[in-house]
Amino acid sequence: MYRFFIQPQLDKFNNSLIGYELLMKKKTEQGWRPPHNFSDVPSHTMASVLIATTKLLSLKIGSVSVNINRNQLMDPEVRTAIIEAQRILRPLRLVVELTEDTPDQNWPNSQLIPLIKDFIDYGMDFSLDDCGTGVNQLENIKELVPLASEIKFAIQNFGEKLRDPDIENKVIFWRDFSRKHNLRFILEGIEDDNDDQLADSLEIDLRQGYYYGKPRLLKLEPDDDKF
């Protein structure tokens, strides 16, 4: 069984909630866990759970973010569900985050771009998730940047704290890259006071992490237990 958990995204300097990210997890004998590979989630399941979840999100916030990888972006059933989710959420804005997961095949950006533009035409925002890792290295995403409204950098992907000088330099690079291209920059993986204070010193306002709120389960109707 699959479900979405929601985690808050904050504007620290304005002390405001800007949105939620939907994080898919699978119920296992050990509890709720992220799928080992998101490409293993059946397209129909992801589509059904996404639509059922968005029906519950009549939240007074700016946006709801959903992660997809390149395989899912190329799947017509997933794209149709995302468009339907935006219709249900309106006037809330859906942000489609393209993850760093390595796809089953090397989809060229020329095939991805028209599909991303379709989402934008439906009023969605496009986000590049976990930049600097996986297939979301700078050389791979340069052609996608003009379509983006947002870039995200995840500290936890590097297995180090933000106070590590190498990680700090990476954060500064992507922060400045985002500013140069007039993009929102969200720093993920803030876990403690030290992370929070260093993000303050780097003048990063938009943040996400356990320090501000752990993902919580969105319970669906009993009839939706088949997903």
Side-chain angles (χ1 to χ4, degrees):
M1 181 168 68
Y2 293 91
R3 288 289 182 273
F4 279 115
F5 285 59
I6 61 172
Q7 186 174 32
Q9 299 172 326
L10 305 177
D11 183 330
K12 172 68 184 301
F13 296 157
N14 289 325
N15 193 29
S16 61
L17 175 70
I18 62 168
Y20 285 102
E21 181 177 0
L22 298 179
L23 303 167
M24 178 163 276
K25 296 189 179 184
K26 181 179 182 179
K27 192 171 187 179
T28 70
E29 293 180 356
Q30 292 75 40
W32 292 98
R33 298 288 187 273
H36 179 68
N37 187 330
F38 282 90
S39 293
D40 295 337
V41 181
S43 298
H44 176 72
T45 298
M46 183 191 173
S48 300
V49 177
L50 177 60
I51 291 172
T53 299
T54 51
K55 288 178 180 177
L56 299 177
L57 291 175
S58 56
L59 304 171
K60 297 182 184 299
I61 55 173
S63 66
V64 173
S65 300
V66 62
N67 296 314
I68 62 170
N69 57 33
R70 284 160 173 78
N71 292 332
Q72 292 165 332
L73 176 59
M74 296 301 299
D75 190 307
E77 186 172 18
V78 173
R79 294 199 306 274
T80 298
I82 289 172
I83 291 170
E84 174 64 8
Q86 176 62 86
R87 186 192 67 79
I88 294 168
L89 284 170
R90 206 177 305 273
L92 270 69
R93 185 179 68 258
L94 189 65
V95 181
V96 179
E97 299 185 11
L98 188 65
T99 69
E100 78 286 4
D101 297 346
T102 302
D104 293 339
Q105 67 182 82
N106 186 24
W107 303 105
N109 285 333
S110 60
Q111 287 186 263
L112 305 180
I113 287 171
L115 306 179
I116 295 167
K117 285 182 175 178
D118 283 346
F119 290 153
I120 295 171
D121 288 344
Y122 275 96
M124 303 177 216
D125 279 358
F126 173 61
S127 172
L128 289 162
D129 192 27
D130 293 359
C131 287
T133 59
V135 292
N136 279 354
Q137 303 291 339
L138 182 58
E139 62 270 20
N140 297 333
I141 62 172
K142 280 183 177 179
E143 294 177 302
L144 304 179
V145 168
L147 301 175
S149 300
E150 173 184 284
I151 276 179
K152 302 181 78 175
F153 182 89
I155 303 168
Q156 68 270 22
N157 286 351
F158 294 88
E160 300 287 348
K161 290 293 186 180
L162 180 51
R163 54 186 170 272
D164 179 273
D166 183 53
I167 302 305
E168 185 176 342
N169 288 336
K170 287 182 171 66
V171 172
I172 291 170
F173 171 83
W174 287 107
R175 180 202 66 183
D176 293 348
F177 182 88
S178 300
R179 289 176 177 174
K180 178 181 177 181
H181 293 276
N182 296 312
L183 305 175
R184 293 189 303 272
F185 178 67
I186 297 183
L187 184 63
E188 301 179 276
I190 306 293
E191 295 188 350
D192 55 32
D193 284 328
N194 290 326
D195 290 344
D196 181 62
Q197 291 168 15
L198 191 49
D200 284 348
S201 71
L202 295 176
E203 299 181 341
I204 296 169
D205 53 351
L206 305 183
R207 307 178 197 176
Q208 185 177 336
Y210 278 21
Y211 184 72
Y212 310 113
K214 293 183 179 181
R216 63 179 178 86
L217 174 65
L218 270 180
K219 294 183 179 180
L220 303 183
E221 297 296 325
D223 289 346
D224 293 327
D225 284 343
K226 57 184 177 293
F227 302 143

